[in-house]
Amino acid sequence: MENRKNYFHLHLISDSTGETLIAAGRAAAAQFQSSHALEHVYPLIRNRKQLMQVMDAVDGAPGIVLYTIVDRELAGLIDQRCREIGVPCVSVLDPIIELFQSYLGSPSRRRSGAQHVMDAEYFARIEALNFTMDHDDGQVPSDFNEADVVLVGVSRTSKTPTSIYLANRGIKTANIPIVPGVPLPDALLKATKPLIVGLIASAERLSQVRQHRVLGTTQSFHGEDYTDRAAIAEELKYARSLCARNNWPLIDVTRRSIEETAAAIVALRPRLR
């Protein structure tokens, strides 16, 4: 019999963009495979009128309420209404802020959206994103040495999404495909600044992913070798030998999410410096 999931309402109330809440809510919900959260996101809630409309929505679809509201009066209203409605609620940041206050010996500023200020770090992320988009799929190879990280790998090893994820953390990332018989640019082989990482996956996994890609190609495209597992195995063999020859670390992305791959790359950076 097919497993049936239970559904529950998850209300996320924020006085900023809601990104923190969404990440926390999804991380917690992922631990309960038999249940699926129906997310209701309410960003930029900063006055009583807005909040009352949100709480009416919660009353109409009771569930779990998570919130990040720095205004104490509004936070108190959420707690009060949730008690009246009979639903559980928690302020996600309060325990963390209290811990910081206890350790640092000073009160927090309690400012909405404080993590989104346009400071030097913000502009570094924008610069990294621009660099990464300009250097996707082997573009502009002449200045690979300006990158912090360069990802190399055969087709469909998630080079582009991993590059964008890293760029969003302020890491300038370029990526270039490994194609048997096609030499890599001299600028890459001579680069001394970036961490160069090879991405691989199992032949079975790559064949499955590539078959989905082939479905959207033109009639003139011949994808037999592209999806053939034996041919893919040869591509992977070539990629491994290339990385071994240049002492580039390899990461197998077969069972990794983009976030896990990026975390492994970030962990490599200080170790190889």
Side-chain angles (χ1 to χ4, degrees):
M1 180 180 294
E2 183 181 353
N3 291 330
R4 293 185 177 179
K5 287 189 175 183
N6 295 316
Y7 292 86
F8 66 97
H9 295 282
L10 177 60
H11 298 274
L12 308 172
I13 310 171
S14 174
D15 52 17
S16 185
T17 63
E19 293 176 18
T20 300
L21 271 179
I22 292 171
R26 290 178 180 176
Q31 304 302 316
F32 302 89
Q33 296 183 353
S34 62
S35 300
H36 179 74
L38 300 176
E39 292 180 358
H40 306 269
V41 184
Y42 312 97
L44 302 175
I45 303 302
R46 296 180 178 177
N47 59 56
R48 186 186 182 97
K49 180 179 179 181
Q50 292 173 323
L51 182 58
M52 289 301 99
Q53 293 175 342
V54 169
M55 297 313 299
D56 287 343
V58 173
D59 194 10
I64 296 173
V65 176
L66 304 181
Y67 67 89
T68 50
I69 300 288
V70 298
D71 184 285
R72 294 186 184 279
E73 181 181 354
L74 294 182
L77 283 173
I78 293 176
D79 292 337
Q80 178 184 339
R81 283 298 306 275
C82 284
R83 284 195 299 270
E84 294 171 355
I85 297 170
V87 298
C89 71
V90 65
S91 173
V92 171
L93 288 182
D94 270 0
I96 301 173
I97 291 175
E98 289 172 6
L99 178 65
F100 273 58
Q101 289 180 162
S102 174
Y103 184 81
L104 298 175
S106 61
S108 69
R109 293 179 297 171
R110 303 194 72 85
R111 183 160 58 90
S112 299
Q115 73 272 37
H116 298 298
V117 295
M118 291 191 292
D119 54 11
E121 183 180 349
Y122 172 84
F123 288 108
R125 290 204 312 273
I126 297 301
E127 182 182 359
L129 281 166
N130 288 334
F131 180 93
T132 297
M133 297 307 295
D134 288 341
H135 294 78
D136 183 42
D137 203 29
Q139 299 181 85
V140 197
S142 59
D143 57 353
F144 272 158
N145 205 44
E146 297 301 313
D148 298 315
V149 171
V150 178
L151 304 181
V152 298
V154 301
S155 176
R156 302 289 100 180
T157 48
S158 300
K159 296 185 296 299
T160 294
T162 304
S163 296
I164 294 173
Y165 186 91
L166 288 169
N168 197 46
R169 298 186 59 174
I171 299 171
K172 292 181 179 179
T173 309
N175 73 80
I176 186 169
I178 292 178
V179 181
V182 178
L184 292 175
D186 287 338
L188 175 64
L189 300 176
K190 295 177 180 178
T192 57
K193 177 191 172 186
L195 166 66
I196 302 174
V197 180
L199 303 184
I200 59 172
S202 70
E204 180 180 6
R205 175 59 178 164
L206 288 175
S207 177
Q208 292 174 346
V209 174
R210 290 181 180 187
Q211 284 172 9
H212 288 294
R213 183 186 184 189
V214 168
L215 292 176
T217 59
T218 61
Q219 291 183 348
S220 61
F221 178 81
H222 299 288
E224 292 82 0
D225 289 341
Y226 186 67
T227 59
D228 180 71
R229 292 184 186 179
I232 294 173
E234 288 301 313
E235 288 183 56
L236 291 169
K237 180 180 178 181
Y238 175 74
R240 287 190 178 94
S241 66
L242 183 64
C243 290
R245 188 161 62 246
N246 291 281
N247 293 317
W248 296 335
L250 274 173
I251 296 177
D252 190 330
V253 303
T254 304
R255 297 184 181 277
R256 292 180 189 261
S257 66
I258 300 301
E259 294 84 355
E260 290 170 330
T261 301
I265 293 168
V266 170
L268 282 171
R269 293 185 70 205
R271 191 163 53 188
L272 296 182
R273 286 290 178 265

